[in-house]
Amino acid sequence: DVKVTQSSRYLVKRTGEKVFLECVQDMDHENMFWYRQDPGLGLRLIYFSYDVKMKEKGDIPEGYSVSREKKERFSLILESASTNQTSMYLCASSNNYGYTFGSGTRLTVV
Amino acid sequence: AQKVTQAQTEISVVEKEDVTLDCVYETRDTTYYLFWYKQPPSGELVFLIRRNSFDEQNEISGRYSWNFQKSTSSFNFTITASQVVDSAVYFCALSGWLSSGSARQLTFGSGTQLTVLP
């Protein structure tokens, strides 16, 4: 069964902390994505990567960075967490035809 | 830039009623894909359908059906004889090429919360 795995289901962090959200896929997909989901706004693209060490900004990259050192792993980094980054974060991978999503990480910044 | 609009924020129906969820999209791509996803309260996104922009045939899968009309840029989703288990947030999404040409981006609508009452 193909999978996208997000390391944490729930996370609580303090304002100013550096936060790492990890995502691993086992489908050998070139493309990986990080989305943020907020009520009434749907899913908005933060960053994506189309190859190892390659990345492009999505619609709302401010306050975030990403890392893709290996094909199967795509990390989202909050350099200094703020309360407005409290949200559900969803990772996805794609072969430009189909998309597979992880179960999401609900991050709360206090 | 591409855009997906789901004008219905919330819909509430009684079990066994039919319900249609609307989706309108904008894109400059000539080749694109349209998707519907279901997100139950547990939070995971469940894939329902993918439609290629060249294929305008309507599709039926059990109680679900989809109406794709390229002329009006719409891809509507109908649930026939709704059930309580259909209660979820439903997202319409559009996959088109990024301006850089590096990959296809999936752009989501804001979602429709469907509540089916017993």
Side-chain angles (χ1 to χ4, degrees), chain A residues 14-70:
Chain A
R14 294 194 180 278
T15 301
E17 274 192 76
K18 190 168 186 176
V19 181
F20 292 86
L21 302 184
E22 305 289 345
C23 176
V24 177
Q25 53 104 357
D26 64 3
M27 293 162 285
D28 202 35
H29 283 169
E30 300 291 333
N31 306 316
M32 295 187 75
F33 304 82
W34 273 106
Y35 287 89
R36 169 179 172 159
Q37 182 180 3
D38 300 288
L41 296 177
L43 280 75
R44 295 178 292 167
L45 182 65
I46 304 171
Y47 265 99
F48 77 97
S49 169
Y50 52 91
D51 202 350
V52 174
K53 296 190 188 294
M54 305 304 287
K55 61 185 179 185
E56 283 195 31
K57 294 179 180 179
D59 299 320
I60 51 164
E62 295 77 23
Y64 304 95
S65 63
V66 290
S67 172
R68 191 154 180 215
E69 297 296 319
K70 292 184 178 180

